Amino acid sequence: MDGLEFKFQEASFNRLFPYFILIDSDFQIVGFGKSIAKICPYLKPNVSFKAFFNLKRPHAETNTFEELLHFSNQLVVIESNVDDVSLRGQFELLNKQLLFVGSPWFNSMNEVVEKNLTINDFAIHDPLLDLLHVLKNQEISAKELKETLLTINQQKNDLKKANKEIHDIALFPTQNPDPLIRIDFEGNLLKRNPAAEMLLSFIYEGKEYDAATFFKIISPKIDVEQERFIFEAQSGSKDYSFVCKSLKDEKYINIYGRDITEQKRNSAELERLSLVASSNENGIVFTYPDGKIFWSNDAYTHLTGYPKEYILGKTPIEIGLCEHTNKEDFPKMLTPFYNGEPFEVELIHGKKDGSHFWSRTKGQPIFDQHGQVKQYFAMLEDISLKKRYDDSLEIEKAKYQNIIANMNLGLLEVDLNDVITLSNNSFNEMSGYSSEELLGKKAAELLMPSESQAIIREKMDTRKQGVTDSYEVKILNKNAEKRSWLISGAPNYDLNGNHIGSIGIHLDITQQKVQEEQLTMLSLIAEKNINAVVITDNKGVIEWANTSFLQISGFSMEEIKGKKPGHLLQGPETSPETVAYLKDRIQKGLPFNCEIVNYSKSGEKYWVSIQGQALYNKKNEIVKFFAIEENITKKKELEQQREFLMDSLAKSNKELEDYAAIVSHDLKSPLRSIHSLLTWIKEDNDKEFSTKTLQYLSMMENKVEKMDYLIEGILTYAKIDKADVATENINTQEIVQNIINIIHIPSHITVTIKNNLPVIKADRFRIQQLFQNIISNAVNYIDKPSGKVEIDCQFTAEHYIFSVKDNGPGIAKSNQEKIFKIFQSLGTSDKSTGLGLSIVKKIIDLYQGEIWIESEINRGATFFIKLKK
């Protein structure tokens, strides 16, 4: 991105902070604001900061960039060594450079005039001019008062009193929207205008104070010897800048406040937009108020596929609109756009190559100094992958919603205000309430007595810190019965990692209070589990197992306690590698997941799938292991049966192929002999046989030839999807032309290729079979005096669509599907075996293509073949 593309940043920044100085890491001044140039006319770029400025307050030697960096994020005063100018502001580190943002420090309006400054040389939010005007007015008033006192000294006290009253009226008008405050040197509030009385509390340096306390805190910081003192504070939701003017004779301080909330927001927004636009990987565009793009980053051109020359001058909708875009989503973007408001919308966005992707577009208006929209900033993000993830997530959510709804433990989700958003069936049964009665209610207020509500408030605070824990509470169910619940709570997060509330698993432990908390919970869950569950100590010795484990193993609880599972269950066919894997994972305290052969007490072999892990105490020490075992014996038997069937099927296919080859050889050999004998008989007895006899012999030859074609066709049909398929670049133009040259085409029939046929990736032999059968079929069935066969190909983004058109007798719609079945022939040709189009269909199926016919009786037929690119 070149500098010309960011003129809007420099202009916006100059308007907000015209007195800025940018210092690089070599301590050189590399840039400064437009108004700096007026008050420091000798300042030039690329001069040393030390050569032109020094740090006046706090006073310190700053000879290097690192030394100056120590004074960032605090109020400082710098002084020009060349021009008699002081600047007040602060240093901020920005992209390995120091940015000074401030304003000049003038003591009177005369200094402003001397520097040839106008109101346009100051930031909108800078209170300096207002203060200087006030000071000027005070100087004039003081001068007039002095002249009056010289002439009418006897009215001195009355005039002082009158002047004070007038001064107060001027300083504290009731209509002034800015807060005006007067305090004494001890910080006691003396006077406030109505706008100031609305400020009941202040946040200063990260702490909140009421108004009276705040000014007692701030008064010692005000240097009454200074012409003015400035500080910033928050009140309510607004940021204020306060200018303090000390009046030593009257022993009070006038404080002039100004709302700088919008200016701070604009400043932060400007910096954010600059950083985003310069380095964001998402597409960025800036538009005029009419929506036309005047700048885009490289990421936007990459996402859309269009060059910048095409993009500039068009609207984002013109760039992104495609047939898949839902136009009903446009108002979500256009309405806030024309209202000068931010927006965020997700829709399908087109690309130059005709493809599309899911996009998220975020828009933000940029305002001028009058509050009018001058530009619009928009960010385009490709969320296609997220959409796929979201779709997958929805599928998974649907899959597990029923599990959650019917799990044995009560599950409850609440938002940040403890309002219930989800409950499962078990929780409804525990509480006595239905889901409709629970949703939208505050959980603690509905279910808990006052002594338990304090616990919930405490737990909600810990959830904000990411804490997960378990605790007991007393609750009242719908029937007002007191129950004891054990709750395992955890913070709940959305997909973006934002904390949105809490989720809790609830267990009614009213009757099990005497049992250990964690073991009780595991035991109750495990007992209801259809799978086997076993708990061991940290050395792997069994402490407890559920009923399912006892049933599958055949042992009693007394027989397994104190034993290791491997010593009880492993046998001759147990895999040593799996045993070693389990031993290694347990020794390292790592989760394990495997399948293994076990043996019951009676010696019966069974397969189990084991999942397990270690349990740790608060000191991160392993105290127990637990494992869940699923009996997968039937599953393993089915897998073995499937492997047996697959092996059997492969063997059968091989035997059938061998059988077909033998049969074809045994059939074709006598056929050739019969054909030879018929030929010899005709040659030896050509003059002795009658015409009828010769006709019969010719018919026999034709039948033998047809039988030979039929056997060859059956072998070809059987082998199409059996042999390995070679893939190479095949020139279909060349293959079709060779077929036209080698097959018999009667003189009254012409075969033409309309367009150049493409080069495709396929097996040369199969593609030749495909086109030879379909072209021969078209030639053989033409019944017109002048026959025509036209071969053509159309192209789509993903397919080749070949067509073979003839002017033959046509095919009735009722027969158009039947002709692709084996041994189906609609004609009477002696050479037709009923296999040609069946072979074509099988080859097309092999390549996952399509074939169909468009035909009417006596109007010819067109065969279409669709193959993937």
Side-chain angles (χ1 to χ4, degrees):
M1 181 182 303
D2 57 276
L4 291 177
E5 294 177 319
F6 285 94
K7 286 183 178 179
F8 70 93
Q9 296 180 350
E10 182 179 355
S12 299
F13 199 85
N14 256 310
R15 187 173 65 254
L16 292 173
F17 303 104
Y19 295 95
F20 76 87
I21 301 171
L22 189 61
I23 306 162
D24 67 12
S25 59
D26 294 327
F27 214 46
Q28 300 290 311
I29 296 175
V30 294
F32 46 84
K34 62 175 185 178
S35 298
I36 286 285
K38 296 186 73 172
I39 65 173
C40 297
Y42 297 103
L43 179 61
K44 303 297 179 184
N46 299 318
V47 301
S48 169
F49 178 82
K50 176 63 178 177
F52 208 92
F53 291 101
N54 65 75
L55 195 62
K56 182 177 180 181
R57 183 176 300 167
H59 181 71
E61 286 292 324
T62 52
N63 297 310
T64 66
F65 181 90
E66 288 73 22
E67 290 176 351
L68 192 59
L69 181 61
H70 289 304
F71 297 96
S72 61
N73 298 319
Q74 60 178 289
L75 186 64
V76 299
V77 177
I78 63 175
E79 184 178 43
S80 171
N81 300 327
V82 179
D83 303 294
D84 185 19
V85 173
S86 294
L87 296 167
R88 180 178 179 278
Q90 68 182 61
F91 288 98
E92 289 289 337
L93 184 63
L94 178 65
N95 296 331
K96 297 182 179 180
Q97 296 178 324
L98 270 177
L99 175 66
F100 173 83
V101 177
S103 62
W105 193 347
F106 295 134
N107 295 317
S108 70
M109 184 60 73
N110 292 334
E111 293 181 60
V112 176
V113 175
E114 289 172 1
K115 296 294 183 181
N116 295 321
L117 299 177
T118 68
I119 192 170
N120 294 325
D121 291 311
F122 293 87
I124 299 171
H125 60 275
D126 196 336
L128 177 63
L129 286 180
D130 293 340
L131 182 59
L132 292 174
H133 279 301
V134 171
L135 293 176
K136 184 66 175 179
N137 291 335
Q138 287 181 337
E139 291 174 5
I140 295 170
S141 297
K143 182 178 180 181
E144 293 174 349
L145 182 60
K146 185 176 181 180
E147 294 173 351
T148 303
L149 287 173
L150 291 174
T151 57
I152 51 172
N153 189 50
Q154 66 274 17
Q155 296 178 357
K156 178 179 179 180
N157 294 331
D158 292 339
L159 286 175
K160 277 189 176 182
K161 182 178 179 181
N163 184 64
K164 184 177 183 302
E165 291 175 353
I166 293 170
H167 192 63
D168 286 349
I169 291 171
L171 289 176
F172 295 90
T174 57
Q175 296 86 1
N176 197 326
D178 292 329
L180 305 172
I181 304 150
R182 177 176 293 167
I183 63 173
D184 61 21
F185 287 174
E186 284 71 41
N188 298 308
L189 285 167
L190 301 178
K191 193 173 182 65
R192 290 182 288 177
N193 71 343
E197 290 175 351
M198 298 295 292
L199 308 181
L200 302 178
S201 64
F202 295 85
I203 298 175
Y204 182 71
E205 294 183 346
K207 295 182 180 180
E208 186 171 5
Y209 308 92
D210 61 73
T213 304
F214 172 68
F215 288 104
K216 287 185 179 294
I217 295 293
I218 203 68
S219 61
K221 300 177 182 292
I222 301 173
D223 186 353
V224 297
E225 300 298 328
Q226 284 188 359
E227 191 69 24
R228 64 174 184 167
F229 173 80
I230 300 176
F231 67 91
E232 293 182 4
Q234 288 181 304
S235 184
S237 60
K238 295 183 178 181
D239 293 286
Y240 289 90
S241 175
F242 294 97
V243 178
C244 305
K245 174 67 176 177
S246 300
L247 303 175
K248 291 190 290 184
D249 293 340
E250 287 80 3
K251 297 190 181 300
Y252 60 71
I253 302 168
N254 286 337
I255 302 175
Y256 309 90
R258 189 165 190 174
D259 184 352
I260 60 171
T261 307
E262 190 63 28
Q263 293 154 3
K264 279 204 166 188
R265 185 182 298 119
N266 288 343
S267 176
E269 183 68 10
L270 181 62
E271 183 175 354
R272 183 180 70 82
L273 290 176
S274 299
L275 292 174
V276 168
S278 61
S279 61
N280 202 297
E281 294 182 357
N282 297 319
I284 302 293
V285 296
F286 284 86
T287 76
Y288 294 115
D290 61 1
K292 292 184 178 179
I293 300 169
F294 68 85
W295 181 88
S296 71
N297 67 351
D298 293 338
Y300 187 80
T301 62
H302 177 73
L303 277 174
T304 62
Y306 291 101
K308 285 188 179 180
E309 295 76 16
Y310 180 83
I311 291 169
L312 298 182
K314 293 185 172 56
T315 67
I317 288 181
E318 290 177 298
I319 299 296
L321 182 63
C322 68
E323 61 179 344
H324 302 283
T325 308
N326 185 0
K327 296 181 180 179
E328 295 180 0
D329 291 333
F330 286 170
K332 300 176 185 177
M333 177 169 56
L334 294 176
T335 301
F337 178 88
Y338 288 115
N339 290 337
E341 300 170 350
F343 65 84
E344 181 174 337
V345 64
E346 294 182 1
L347 45 76
I348 293 178
H349 196 291
K351 301 180 73 171
K352 181 184 178 183
D353 62 5
S355 61
H356 58 272
F357 62 94
W358 267 101
S359 70
R360 178 189 290 120
T361 304
K362 295 181 180 179
Q364 179 71 38
I366 301 173
F367 300 96
D368 62 17
Q369 59 185 354
H370 304 296
Q372 299 298 317
V373 176
K374 66 171 184 178
Q375 296 170 2
Y376 231 96
F377 160 85
M379 180 170 67
L380 181 71
E381 178 185 2
D382 186 345
I383 59 168
S384 302
L385 184 60
K386 178 183 177 299
K387 277 289 184 181
R388 291 196 291 272
Y389 286 160
D390 288 346
D391 292 341
S392 300
L393 181 61
E394 288 301 319
I395 294 171
E396 293 301 316
K397 283 172 66 177
K399 184 188 301 181
Y400 291 109
Q401 273 179 348
N402 189 51
I403 297 174
I404 292 173
N406 296 287
M407 65 186 293
N408 294 322
L409 295 174
L411 181 140
L412 189 73
E413 287 186 12
V414 298
D415 65 14
L416 295 172
N417 296 316
D418 197 38
V419 175
I420 297 171
T421 57
L422 174 69
S423 67
N424 70 346
N425 294 337
S426 294
F427 187 88
N428 297 346
E429 292 174 3
M430 289 169 59
S431 66
Y433 292 98
S434 65
S435 293
E436 292 74 16
E437 294 172 314
L438 291 169
L439 296 180
K441 305 292 193 310
K442 289 197 172 185
E445 293 179 2
L446 181 66
L447 298 167
M448 296 179 181
S450 56
E451 62 268 21
S452 295
Q453 292 183 23
I455 298 175
I456 294 302
R457 287 193 293 271
E458 177 187 343
K459 294 300 179 184
M460 288 184 68
D461 290 337
T462 63
R463 296 290 173 262
K464 294 176 183 177
Q465 302 169 14
V467 175
T468 299
D469 59 10
S470 299
Y471 55 95
E472 287 184 25
V473 291
K474 297 290 185 182
I475 68 100
L476 293 172
N477 63 16
K478 186 176 181 180
N479 298 324
E481 299 171 340
K482 266 199 172 184
R483 308 291 293 177
S484 293
W485 282 4
L486 178 66
I487 302 178
S488 291
N492 197 12
Y493 302 95
D494 63 15
L495 292 177
N496 297 319
N498 299 315
H499 180 220
I500 59 173
S502 302
I503 184 169
I505 302 294
H506 299 71
L507 180 67
D508 190 331
I509 58 170
T510 307
Q511 305 302 323
Q512 294 84 25
K513 286 285 293 176
V514 294
Q515 299 180 9
E516 292 183 27
E517 293 182 13
Q518 189 176 15
L519 186 58
T520 299
M521 243 170 65
L522 291 173
S523 299
L524 288 172
I525 296 170
E527 277 299 334
K528 297 177 182 179
N529 202 317
I530 61 172
N531 295 322
V533 179
V534 61
I535 298 175
T536 73
D537 62 14
N538 59 359
K539 299 186 185 301
V541 175
I542 297 174
E543 291 184 344
W544 179 88
N546 69 345
T547 304
S548 296
F549 181 87
L550 301 178
Q551 289 175 346
I552 193 174
S553 68
F555 293 99
S556 65
M557 186 69 76
E558 292 72 20
E559 290 174 316
I560 66 172
K561 276 190 175 181
K563 305 287 195 312
K564 290 190 175 183
H567 297 167
L568 288 172
L569 305 174
Q570 293 168 8
E573 295 186 31
T574 303
S575 169
E577 290 80 7
T578 306
V579 173
Y581 162 80
L582 287 170
K583 184 177 180 181
D584 177 66
R585 303 293 285 187
I586 291 171
Q587 285 177 345
K588 294 178 180 178
L590 299 173
F592 48 88
N593 187 347
C594 64
E595 295 177 355
I596 193 170
V597 172
N598 281 346
Y599 290 84
S600 66
K601 181 180 178 180
S602 63
E604 182 181 355
K605 182 179 76 171
Y606 62 93
W607 277 90
V608 292
S609 174
I610 304 176
Q611 295 184 20
Q613 66 181 49
L615 298 175
Y616 295 83
N617 60 17
K618 293 182 179 180
K619 297 180 181 179
N620 204 32
E621 299 170 336
I622 297 175
V623 292
K624 297 183 189 303
F625 288 92
F626 80 92
I628 299 175
E629 300 181 359
E630 179 187 1
N631 190 340
I632 59 170
T633 305
K634 291 184 178 180
K635 175 185 172 184
K636 282 291 184 180
E637 291 174 352
L638 290 174
E639 288 178 356
Q640 291 174 355
Q641 291 176 7
R642 180 176 175 275
E643 290 177 3
F644 175 76
L645 291 173
M646 292 296 291
D647 291 342
S648 299
L649 182 60
K651 185 177 179 181
S652 297
N653 286 337
K654 183 64 172 63
E655 290 174 351
L656 285 172
E657 290 177 14
D658 294 343
Y659 179 74
I662 293 170
V663 168
S664 67
H665 179 270
D666 291 348
L667 286 175
K668 293 179 76 170
S669 180
L671 284 175
R672 293 191 187 97
S673 299
I674 293 172
H675 189 276
S676 298
L677 290 172
L678 288 171
T679 302
W680 295 341
I681 292 172
K682 286 174 65 178
E683 290 175 353
D684 293 343
N685 302 282
D686 183 35
K687 297 180 180 179
E688 298 177 10
F689 288 151
S690 66
T691 303
K692 196 72 172 176
T693 301
L694 291 173
Q695 182 180 356
Y696 288 152
L697 290 173
S698 295
M699 290 174 64
M700 290 174 65
E701 284 181 320
N702 288 338
K703 295 299 182 183
V704 169
E705 287 180 3
K706 185 170 183 178
M707 187 67 176
D708 187 60
Y709 293 150
L710 180 61
I711 293 170
E712 189 62 36
I714 290 172
L715 283 175
T716 300
Y717 184 82
K719 290 179 179 179
I720 284 173
D721 56 357
K722 298 296 188 296
D724 292 335
V725 179
T727 301
E728 57 181 310
N729 289 329
I730 303 300
N731 189 330
T732 55
Q733 175 85 15
E734 178 184 319
I735 285 181
V736 171
Q737 190 62 58
N738 288 339
I739 291 170
I740 294 172
N741 293 336
I742 63 174
I743 66 173
H744 173 67
I745 301 175
S747 59
H748 69 287
I749 296 175
T750 59
V751 180
T752 58
I753 302 173
K754 292 188 67 177
N755 294 322
N756 285 333
L757 303 183
V759 174
I760 65 173
K761 282 190 174 294
D763 180 85
R764 178 178 294 274
F765 173 70
R766 285 173 173 77
I767 295 302
Q768 180 161 341
Q769 281 183 310
L770 187 155
F771 282 107
Q772 184 167 332
N773 276 289
I774 204 164
I775 293 170
S776 298
N777 187 75
V779 170
N780 290 338
Y781 284 96
I782 288 178
D783 57 351
K784 303 295 189 298
S786 177
K788 294 181 180 180
V789 177
E790 294 180 350
I791 302 156
D792 196 1
C793 183
Q794 302 296 324
F795 304 84
T796 68
E798 297 180 357
H799 296 89
Y800 302 109
I801 302 178
F802 295 92
S803 62
V804 179
K805 181 179 180 180
D806 64 60
N807 64 341
I811 302 171
K813 290 191 180 296
S814 58
N815 294 326
Q816 287 180 6
E817 290 187 10
K818 182 166 56 174
I819 61 171
F820 294 111
K821 296 180 180 179
I822 193 169
F823 301 127
Q824 295 292 325
S825 177
L826 302 181
T828 57
S829 173
D830 291 338
K831 295 184 180 181
S832 175
T833 63
L835 285 168
L837 292 179
S838 301
I839 291 171
V840 169
K841 181 67 167 65
K842 198 166 186 181
I843 293 172
I844 291 172
D845 289 344
L846 179 65
Y847 286 102
Q848 298 179 339
E850 297 179 43
I851 185 169
W852 69 93
I853 309 167
E854 292 181 3
S855 176
E856 293 183 16
I857 295 297
N858 296 323
R859 292 190 178 183
T862 304
F863 285 77
F864 292 93
I865 301 163
K866 186 177 183 180
L867 296 176
K868 291 182 180 179
K869 286 188 174 181

